[in-house]
Amino acid sequence: MNFDAVGDNVRGLLTATRTYVVPRFQRDFSWDESNYKELLKDLIAQIRCEQSESSANVSFQTSQYYLGNMIFLGTKDKGSVQIIDGQQRLTTGTILLAAIRDVLYESSKTKDDLAFNYAETTQNEYLVKKIDGTPQRKLQTTSSYPYFTQTIQGYNKDSAYVMQPSNEEEETLKNAFEFFKNQLKQSKFLSTLFDKSTAEKPHKPSDRSSVYVSGLKALRDQFLQSEIVAIFVADDNQAYKIFENINSKGKALSQVDLIKNDIFSKIQFSSTTGVDIPTFQWKEINRNLSDLDTDFNEFFLHFWKSKFPSDSANGGNLYKKYINKFKDDTNNTALINFTDELRSASKIYANIISPSKDDYPQQQKIPIYQSLDSINKFRGVQSRVALLSLFKSDIPITSHKKKQFLKFLANFHLAAFGTESKIPSNQTTNKYKIFSQDINSATKPEDIYTAMTKLETSLRNLISEDDFKNGFKKLSFSKQNSKNSLSDYPASYAIKSIADHMDSRDYNDDEYSIEHILDESGDHENLTNIGNLSVLETNFNSELSNLKPKSFQNNINYKQDIYKKSSYKMVKVDLSPNFNLSLIEERSSHLADYFWDNLLRIE
């Protein structure tokens, strides 16, 4: 393997007449506070405080610090090289230098003092250097451009020129920048510098300011003098292979990072117009997954399992599975189709795990939204693979069948994870795997319907009737204590589902709400139990609020006239004038039987 390995330091990298480009296949900046806090701690620990007889005369000495290997695609004499390994460290170092620059500028009194000159050198030598009059960003990014350049690499006193983050990576960059600037405030920074030193902090404000500026320069120099081994590799394939096997410091490369690296190395600018298709696709996927309760790695693994369910892929073997799957794809046709399907699936996946009611304006599709929403509130992560397989399928199925299937899954998740049954989620994994296999091999709608029934039966067989009913009878709901709380959601879901089934409704609408048959405000512990819950038209519920007696009564006499107005079967059947505290437990048992017999039934 042909490469040049050069012993150097960060100053040597940044003062060389070359730029360092973060290539398109690299992951976004992902260091969190624990990573850059450790780097800052290590750098400061290398700085020695030395004090003469005069307590104000404090100097700082830097020492040796090894920052690790850095690998670049390109020869060492090229004007621009791509960063293969070292992106996170160089980006974090650039942010640290920018933070030092900012506090030095803010500490300067005139344009001739040391603080100003140190800040100018930091900016013009190590961040953005002019080459023949043209500004040259030493570190060049694409995914966070122009935010990173404008707000961090550039120094802007005028807040009008400071950009706000527009994506998750830029938020992460901003957090790191603000962390460093906060840590470098005079009082905090000097306390850290002198923490384990025998030297004393100066007492006079003017002396402290002078030592503060010297300390900032020492920190800057400590980073710049950090030793590295710079490895320059001219051949693309060799560089990508090194990337797969080396990760010198920081976060280990994930399985998906390695896959992304391979995809971007094989699929170059695949459009005749020069559009970088893979980069465009990856950005769209990230947009689709932004602000969701998931990450790219989880989505990718679920997508893989839905597409190749027989692979038995997991977080540890995914990269090997990927390499094996595409090893014979000599012209990358299958890989190009795979990435396009991945992009399409990301939008479907986002809808599965975070459905929006606005996406279901048609009344007949609202049940689909409500079932998906409920599955996610019950933390039905394991079902996402099966749902992705179903929603990606090109075989058309009736809306009725889809609604029926999704409703069963929501009901199963209540039974399995919303009560004390607490079925281990790994017991469902193989069931969903088999379902995905059946969906992928289906050729007609009847095959899909058979797969649905098969999955429903296997899932229901996981539930013990006694365990379910015992757990169901303990469900509770309180309007007073936790409005819209997920802890109360199982009881709310169960009572509404039963009421809907009694009235042959497909979904629950905004026309009714949860009603405590006997007022919740009493001091009896059973009043929030599901046996004391019903549904009632919202307007009637408002009327009851006006009729409520000042003192609690364990009866429903004052409610009877309003209950008689209700059109709901649950109210007509269960809310008799004789209902009292002693009947709550009996009714909860009746509701458990109803849910088991009707809502967990395989049709």
mmCIF file of all heavy atoms in Angstrom, residues 134-170:
data_model
loop_
_atom_site.group_PDB
_atom_site.id
_atom_site.type_symbol
_atom_site.label_atom_id
_atom_site.label_comp_id
_atom_site.label_asym_id
_atom_site.label_seq_id
_atom_site.Cartn_x
_atom_site.Cartn_y
_atom_site.Cartn_z
ATOM 1 N N THR A 134 -6.677 35.918 -1.420
ATOM 2 C CA THR A 134 -7.956 35.209 -1.392
ATOM 3 C C THR A 134 -8.106 34.437 -0.077
ATOM 4 O O THR A 134 -7.215 33.646 0.272
ATOM 5 C CB THR A 134 -8.062 34.215 -2.562
ATOM 6 O OG1 THR A 134 -7.915 34.932 -3.791
ATOM 7 C CG2 THR A 134 -9.408 33.497 -2.545
ATOM 8 N N PRO A 135 -9.197 34.667 0.679
ATOM 9 C CA PRO A 135 -9.392 33.929 1.933
ATOM 10 C C PRO A 135 -9.479 32.418 1.681
ATOM 11 O O PRO A 135 -10.188 31.970 0.780
ATOM 12 C CB PRO A 135 -10.721 34.470 2.462
ATOM 13 C CG PRO A 135 -10.904 35.784 1.787
ATOM 14 C CD PRO A 135 -10.281 35.623 0.442
ATOM 15 N N GLN A 136 -8.750 31.664 2.462
ATOM 16 C CA GLN A 136 -8.727 30.208 2.320
ATOM 17 C C GLN A 136 -9.144 29.574 3.648
ATOM 18 O O GLN A 136 -8.431 29.659 4.643
ATOM 19 C CB GLN A 136 -7.313 29.740 1.944
ATOM 20 C CG GLN A 136 -7.179 28.236 1.773
ATOM 21 C CD GLN A 136 -5.722 27.792 1.729
ATOM 22 O OE1 GLN A 136 -5.027 27.831 2.737
ATOM 23 N NE2 GLN A 136 -5.270 27.367 0.562
ATOM 24 N N ARG A 137 -10.316 28.980 3.645
ATOM 25 C CA ARG A 137 -10.755 28.262 4.854
ATOM 26 C C ARG A 137 -9.898 27.013 5.005
ATOM 27 O O ARG A 137 -9.890 26.163 4.125
ATOM 28 C CB ARG A 137 -12.223 27.866 4.737
ATOM 29 C CG ARG A 137 -13.203 29.008 4.753
ATOM 30 C CD ARG A 137 -14.623 28.504 4.597
ATOM 31 N NE ARG A 137 -14.891 27.997 3.264
ATOM 32 C CZ ARG A 137 -15.575 26.886 2.998
ATOM 33 N NH1 ARG A 137 -16.022 26.134 3.984
ATOM 34 N NH2 ARG A 137 -15.778 26.494 1.751
ATOM 35 N N LYS A 138 -9.200 26.888 6.115
ATOM 36 C CA LYS A 138 -8.327 25.730 6.293
ATOM 37 C C LYS A 138 -9.146 24.443 6.359
ATOM 38 O O LYS A 138 -8.734 23.415 5.841
ATOM 39 C CB LYS A 138 -7.480 25.887 7.562
ATOM 40 C CG LYS A 138 -6.590 27.114 7.582
ATOM 41 C CD LYS A 138 -5.705 27.204 6.345
ATOM 42 C CE LYS A 138 -4.702 26.079 6.227
ATOM 43 N NZ LYS A 138 -3.824 26.208 5.065
ATOM 44 N N LEU A 139 -10.285 24.501 7.015
ATOM 45 C CA LEU A 139 -11.184 23.346 7.075
ATOM 46 C C LEU A 139 -12.426 23.681 6.267
ATOM 47 O O LEU A 139 -13.095 24.686 6.523
ATOM 48 C CB LEU A 139 -11.565 23.039 8.528
ATOM 49 C CG LEU A 139 -12.523 21.861 8.743
ATOM 50 C CD1 LEU A 139 -11.843 20.551 8.356
ATOM 51 C CD2 LEU A 139 -12.986 21.800 10.197
ATOM 52 N N GLN A 140 -12.737 22.848 5.286
ATOM 53 C CA GLN A 140 -13.874 23.117 4.408
ATOM 54 C C GLN A 140 -14.914 22.012 4.540
ATOM 55 O O GLN A 140 -14.599 20.830 4.402
ATOM 56 C CB GLN A 140 -13.398 23.239 2.954
ATOM 57 C CG GLN A 140 -12.434 24.401 2.756
ATOM 58 C CD GLN A 140 -12.109 24.648 1.303
ATOM 59 O OE1 GLN A 140 -12.705 24.064 0.412
ATOM 60 N NE2 GLN A 140 -11.155 25.547 1.041
ATOM 61 N N THR A 141 -16.143 22.425 4.841
ATOM 62 C CA THR A 141 -17.253 21.488 5.006
ATOM 63 C C THR A 141 -18.310 21.765 3.957
ATOM 64 O O THR A 141 -18.364 22.845 3.371
ATOM 65 C CB THR A 141 -17.885 21.628 6.403
ATOM 66 O OG1 THR A 141 -18.477 22.937 6.522
ATOM 67 C CG2 THR A 141 -16.849 21.459 7.505
ATOM 68 N N THR A 142 -19.161 20.775 3.729
ATOM 69 C CA THR A 142 -20.298 20.964 2.809
ATOM 70 C C THR A 142 -21.617 20.831 3.545
ATOM 71 O O THR A 142 -22.538 21.611 3.331
ATOM 72 C CB THR A 142 -20.247 19.928 1.663
ATOM 73 O OG1 THR A 142 -20.174 18.609 2.216
ATOM 74 C CG2 THR A 142 -19.046 20.169 0.779
ATOM 75 N N SER A 143 -21.714 19.860 4.446
ATOM 76 C CA SER A 143 -23.002 19.605 5.113
ATOM 77 C C SER A 143 -23.422 20.743 6.026
ATOM 78 O O SER A 143 -24.608 20.951 6.251
ATOM 79 C CB SER A 143 -22.932 18.293 5.910
ATOM 80 O OG SER A 143 -21.910 18.348 6.880
ATOM 81 N N SER A 144 -22.447 21.491 6.581
ATOM 82 C CA SER A 144 -22.789 22.597 7.485
ATOM 83 C C SER A 144 -22.427 23.966 6.890
ATOM 84 O O SER A 144 -22.353 24.953 7.612
ATOM 85 C CB SER A 144 -22.066 22.418 8.829
ATOM 86 O OG SER A 144 -20.660 22.381 8.641
ATOM 87 N N TYR A 145 -22.193 23.994 5.599
ATOM 88 C CA TYR A 145 -21.878 25.264 4.928
ATOM 89 C C TYR A 145 -23.175 25.957 4.524
ATOM 90 O O TYR A 145 -24.107 25.294 4.060
ATOM 91 C CB TYR A 145 -21.020 24.994 3.684
ATOM 92 C CG TYR A 145 -20.648 26.236 2.915
ATOM 93 C CD1 TYR A 145 -19.552 27.003 3.292
ATOM 94 C CD2 TYR A 145 -21.416 26.646 1.831
ATOM 95 C CE1 TYR A 145 -19.215 28.147 2.588
ATOM 96 C CE2 TYR A 145 -21.082 27.795 1.123
ATOM 97 C CZ TYR A 145 -19.987 28.545 1.504
ATOM 98 O OH TYR A 145 -19.663 29.684 0.822
ATOM 99 N N PRO A 146 -23.322 27.265 4.716
ATOM 100 C CA PRO A 146 -22.313 28.236 5.147
ATOM 101 C C PRO A 146 -22.315 28.524 6.645
ATOM 102 O O PRO A 146 -21.584 29.401 7.098
ATOM 103 C CB PRO A 146 -22.703 29.489 4.366
ATOM 104 C CG PRO A 146 -24.207 29.406 4.311
ATOM 105 C CD PRO A 146 -24.536 27.931 4.184
ATOM 106 N N TYR A 147 -23.155 27.820 7.421
ATOM 107 C CA TYR A 147 -23.257 28.130 8.855
ATOM 108 C C TYR A 147 -21.894 28.064 9.539
ATOM 109 O O TYR A 147 -21.500 28.986 10.266
ATOM 110 C CB TYR A 147 -24.228 27.159 9.535
ATOM 111 C CG TYR A 147 -24.222 27.287 11.050
ATOM 112 C CD1 TYR A 147 -24.953 28.302 11.666
ATOM 113 C CD2 TYR A 147 -23.470 26.434 11.854
ATOM 114 C CE1 TYR A 147 -24.937 28.454 13.049
ATOM 115 C CE2 TYR A 147 -23.445 26.578 13.229
ATOM 116 C CZ TYR A 147 -24.178 27.584 13.820
ATOM 117 O OH TYR A 147 -24.147 27.740 15.182
ATOM 118 N N PHE A 148 -21.167 26.973 9.338
ATOM 119 C CA PHE A 148 -19.894 26.772 10.025
ATOM 120 C C PHE A 148 -18.905 27.877 9.663
ATOM 121 O O PHE A 148 -18.200 28.414 10.524
ATOM 122 C CB PHE A 148 -19.321 25.401 9.653
ATOM 123 C CG PHE A 148 -18.040 25.054 10.365
ATOM 124 C CD1 PHE A 148 -18.034 24.802 11.726
ATOM 125 C CD2 PHE A 148 -16.844 24.972 9.665
ATOM 126 C CE1 PHE A 148 -16.857 24.475 12.382
ATOM 127 C CE2 PHE A 148 -15.672 24.645 10.309
ATOM 128 C CZ PHE A 148 -15.674 24.398 11.675
ATOM 129 N N THR A 149 -18.865 28.244 8.398
ATOM 130 C CA THR A 149 -17.947 29.281 7.940
ATOM 131 C C THR A 149 -18.337 30.656 8.473
ATOM 132 O O THR A 149 -17.515 31.402 9.004
ATOM 133 C CB THR A 149 -17.926 29.325 6.400
ATOM 134 O OG1 THR A 149 -17.447 28.064 5.922
ATOM 135 C CG2 THR A 149 -17.030 30.431 5.889
ATOM 136 N N GLN A 150 -19.594 30.986 8.354
ATOM 137 C CA GLN A 150 -20.052 32.323 8.707
ATOM 138 C C GLN A 150 -20.038 32.570 10.210
ATOM 139 O O GLN A 150 -19.637 33.645 10.669
ATOM 140 C CB GLN A 150 -21.478 32.527 8.171
ATOM 141 C CG GLN A 150 -22.071 33.899 8.435
ATOM 142 C CD GLN A 150 -21.452 34.966 7.561
ATOM 143 O OE1 GLN A 150 -20.680 34.667 6.660
ATOM 144 N NE2 GLN A 150 -21.773 36.222 7.842
ATOM 145 N N THR A 151 -20.453 31.580 10.996
ATOM 146 C CA THR A 151 -20.671 31.801 12.431
ATOM 147 C C THR A 151 -19.487 31.379 13.295
ATOM 148 O O THR A 151 -19.295 31.932 14.375
ATOM 149 C CB THR A 151 -21.936 31.037 12.887
ATOM 150 O OG1 THR A 151 -23.021 31.420 12.050
ATOM 151 C CG2 THR A 151 -22.283 31.333 14.321
ATOM 152 N N ILE A 152 -18.672 30.431 12.821
ATOM 153 C CA ILE A 152 -17.575 29.924 13.654
ATOM 154 C C ILE A 152 -16.214 30.295 13.067
ATOM 155 O O ILE A 152 -15.397 30.925 13.741
ATOM 156 C CB ILE A 152 -17.703 28.398 13.843
ATOM 157 C CG1 ILE A 152 -18.999 28.092 14.622
ATOM 158 C CG2 ILE A 152 -16.482 27.830 14.572
ATOM 159 C CD1 ILE A 152 -19.284 26.620 14.794
ATOM 160 N N GLN A 153 -15.967 29.944 11.820
ATOM 161 C CA GLN A 153 -14.669 30.264 11.232
ATOM 162 C C GLN A 153 -14.484 31.766 11.042
ATOM 163 O O GLN A 153 -13.376 32.281 11.121
ATOM 164 C CB GLN A 153 -14.504 29.544 9.889
ATOM 165 C CG GLN A 153 -14.274 28.045 10.033
ATOM 166 C CD GLN A 153 -14.208 27.347 8.686
ATOM 167 O OE1 GLN A 153 -15.153 27.430 7.904
ATOM 168 N NE2 GLN A 153 -13.120 26.658 8.424
ATOM 169 N N GLY A 154 -15.563 32.466 10.779
ATOM 170 C CA GLY A 154 -15.487 33.914 10.626
ATOM 171 C C GLY A 154 -15.814 34.605 11.932
ATOM 172 O O GLY A 154 -16.593 34.106 12.744
ATOM 173 N N TYR A 155 -15.204 35.759 12.178
ATOM 174 C CA TYR A 155 -15.485 36.520 13.398
ATOM 175 C C TYR A 155 -16.433 37.656 13.064
ATOM 176 O O TYR A 155 -16.132 38.517 12.228
ATOM 177 C CB TYR A 155 -14.209 37.084 14.011
ATOM 178 C CG TYR A 155 -14.447 37.918 15.251
ATOM 179 C CD1 TYR A 155 -14.938 37.320 16.405
ATOM 180 C CD2 TYR A 155 -14.210 39.285 15.253
ATOM 181 C CE1 TYR A 155 -15.181 38.076 17.547
ATOM 182 C CE2 TYR A 155 -14.441 40.053 16.385
ATOM 183 C CZ TYR A 155 -14.923 39.447 17.526
ATOM 184 O OH TYR A 155 -15.164 40.195 18.658
ATOM 185 N N ASN A 156 -17.613 37.657 13.716
ATOM 186 C CA ASN A 156 -18.629 38.663 13.407
ATOM 187 C C ASN A 156 -19.076 39.378 14.682
ATOM 188 O O ASN A 156 -19.702 38.782 15.553
ATOM 189 C CB ASN A 156 -19.860 38.002 12.762
ATOM 190 C CG ASN A 156 -19.516 37.322 11.451
ATOM 191 O OD1 ASN A 156 -19.180 37.982 10.480
ATOM 192 N ND2 ASN A 156 -19.578 35.998 11.437
ATOM 193 N N LYS A 157 -18.702 40.641 14.779
ATOM 194 C CA LYS A 157 -19.175 41.428 15.924
ATOM 195 C C LYS A 157 -20.644 41.784 15.764
ATOM 196 O O LYS A 157 -21.378 41.917 16.739
ATOM 197 C CB LYS A 157 -18.348 42.708 16.048
ATOM 198 C CG LYS A 157 -16.894 42.474 16.455
ATOM 199 C CD LYS A 157 -16.168 43.798 16.610
ATOM 200 C CE LYS A 157 -14.729 43.580 17.028
ATOM 201 N NZ LYS A 157 -13.990 44.865 17.177
ATOM 202 N N ASP A 158 -21.052 41.968 14.534
ATOM 203 C CA ASP A 158 -22.431 42.350 14.245
ATOM 204 C C ASP A 158 -23.302 41.095 14.232
ATOM 205 O O ASP A 158 -23.117 40.201 13.408
ATOM 206 C CB ASP A 158 -22.508 43.048 12.888
ATOM 207 C CG ASP A 158 -23.888 43.667 12.628
ATOM 208 O OD1 ASP A 158 -24.845 43.295 13.349
ATOM 209 O OD2 ASP A 158 -23.983 44.497 11.714
ATOM 210 N N SER A 159 -24.257 41.014 15.169
ATOM 211 C CA SER A 159 -25.104 39.825 15.281
ATOM 212 C C SER A 159 -25.948 39.591 14.029
ATOM 213 O O SER A 159 -26.431 38.487 13.799
ATOM 214 C CB SER A 159 -26.034 39.952 16.498
ATOM 215 O OG SER A 159 -26.869 41.093 16.370
ATOM 216 N N ALA A 160 -26.113 40.615 13.211
ATOM 217 C CA ALA A 160 -26.914 40.461 11.987
ATOM 218 C C ALA A 160 -26.266 39.494 11.016
ATOM 219 O O ALA A 160 -26.925 38.937 10.144
ATOM 220 C CB ALA A 160 -27.115 41.818 11.312
ATOM 221 N N TYR A 161 -24.938 39.306 11.149
ATOM 222 C CA TYR A 161 -24.215 38.415 10.247
ATOM 223 C C TYR A 161 -24.059 37.003 10.809
ATOM 224 O O TYR A 161 -23.476 36.139 10.162
ATOM 225 C CB TYR A 161 -22.836 38.988 9.939
ATOM 226 C CG TYR A 161 -22.883 40.259 9.116
ATOM 227 C CD1 TYR A 161 -22.816 41.503 9.730
ATOM 228 C CD2 TYR A 161 -23.018 40.208 7.736
ATOM 229 C CE1 TYR A 161 -22.872 42.668 8.982
ATOM 230 C CE2 TYR A 161 -23.080 41.377 6.978
ATOM 231 C CZ TYR A 161 -23.012 42.601 7.606
ATOM 232 O OH TYR A 161 -23.081 43.753 6.862
ATOM 233 N N VAL A 162 -24.558 36.793 12.011
ATOM 234 C CA VAL A 162 -24.453 35.469 12.630
ATOM 235 C C VAL A 162 -25.663 34.626 12.226
ATOM 236 O O VAL A 162 -26.807 35.013 12.448
ATOM 237 C CB VAL A 162 -24.395 35.577 14.172
ATOM 238 C CG1 VAL A 162 -24.367 34.184 14.800
ATOM 239 C CG2 VAL A 162 -23.160 36.366 14.590
ATOM 240 N N MET A 163 -25.398 33.497 11.610
ATOM 241 C CA MET A 163 -26.475 32.630 11.146
ATOM 242 C C MET A 163 -26.963 31.742 12.280
ATOM 243 O O MET A 163 -26.221 31.416 13.210
ATOM 244 C CB MET A 163 -25.983 31.753 9.987
ATOM 245 C CG MET A 163 -25.523 32.526 8.780
ATOM 246 S SD MET A 163 -24.953 31.418 7.462
ATOM 247 C CE MET A 163 -26.518 30.654 7.005
ATOM 248 N N GLN A 164 -28.206 31.307 12.190
ATOM 249 C CA GLN A 164 -28.773 30.383 13.160
ATOM 250 C C GLN A 164 -28.733 28.964 12.587
ATOM 251 O O GLN A 164 -28.846 28.779 11.375
ATOM 252 C CB GLN A 164 -30.216 30.772 13.501
ATOM 253 C CG GLN A 164 -30.330 32.108 14.217
ATOM 254 C CD GLN A 164 -29.497 32.166 15.487
ATOM 255 O OE1 GLN A 164 -29.540 31.237 16.302
ATOM 256 N NE2 GLN A 164 -28.748 33.246 15.660
ATOM 257 N N PRO A 165 -28.572 27.957 13.449
ATOM 258 C CA PRO A 165 -28.532 26.567 12.967
ATOM 259 C C PRO A 165 -29.806 26.204 12.224
ATOM 260 O O PRO A 165 -30.902 26.627 12.603
ATOM 261 C CB PRO A 165 -28.397 25.754 14.260
ATOM 262 C CG PRO A 165 -27.859 26.700 15.265
ATOM 263 C CD PRO A 165 -28.412 28.038 14.902
ATOM 264 N N SER A 166 -29.647 25.421 11.168
ATOM 265 C CA SER A 166 -30.808 25.008 10.379
ATOM 266 C C SER A 166 -31.006 23.500 10.376
ATOM 267 O O SER A 166 -31.953 23.005 9.769
ATOM 268 C CB SER A 166 -30.665 25.504 8.930
ATOM 269 O OG SER A 166 -29.520 24.926 8.320
ATOM 270 N N ASN A 167 -30.104 22.753 11.026
ATOM 271 C CA ASN A 167 -30.258 21.305 11.096
ATOM 272 C C ASN A 167 -29.563 20.784 12.358
ATOM 273 O O ASN A 167 -28.947 21.557 13.109
ATOM 274 C CB ASN A 167 -29.704 20.616 9.842
ATOM 275 C CG ASN A 167 -28.254 20.973 9.564
ATOM 276 O OD1 ASN A 167 -27.409 20.936 10.446
ATOM 277 N ND2 ASN A 167 -27.955 21.328 8.318
ATOM 278 N N GLU A 168 -29.662 19.484 12.574
ATOM 279 C CA GLU A 168 -29.136 18.890 13.803
ATOM 280 C C GLU A 168 -27.621 19.035 13.901
ATOM 281 O O GLU A 168 -27.076 19.313 14.975
ATOM 282 C CB GLU A 168 -29.517 17.406 13.862
ATOM 283 C CG GLU A 168 -29.132 16.725 15.168
ATOM 284 C CD GLU A 168 -29.611 15.286 15.232
ATOM 285 O OE1 GLU A 168 -30.371 14.853 14.353
ATOM 286 O OE2 GLU A 168 -29.215 14.566 16.174
ATOM 287 N N GLU A 169 -26.906 18.873 12.793
ATOM 288 C CA GLU A 169 -25.448 19.003 12.840
ATOM 289 C C GLU A 169 -25.049 20.418 13.238
ATOM 290 O O GLU A 169 -24.137 20.607 14.070
ATOM 291 C CB GLU A 169 -24.832 18.656 11.483
ATOM 292 C CG GLU A 169 -23.306 18.749 11.509
ATOM 293 C CD GLU A 169 -22.668 18.593 10.137
ATOM 294 O OE1 GLU A 169 -23.366 18.795 9.128
ATOM 295 O OE2 GLU A 169 -21.461 18.291 10.094
ATOM 296 N N GLU A 170 -25.714 21.408 12.682
ATOM 297 C CA GLU A 170 -25.379 22.787 13.009
ATOM 298 C C GLU A 170 -25.705 23.108 14.468
ATOM 299 O O GLU A 170 -24.997 23.887 15.109
ATOM 300 C CB GLU A 170 -26.096 23.731 12.045
ATOM 301 C CG GLU A 170 -25.542 23.623 10.622
ATOM 302 C CD GLU A 170 -26.300 24.443 9.595
ATOM 303 O OE1 GLU A 170 -27.271 25.127 9.998
ATOM 304 O OE2 GLU A 170 -25.953 24.399 8.411
#
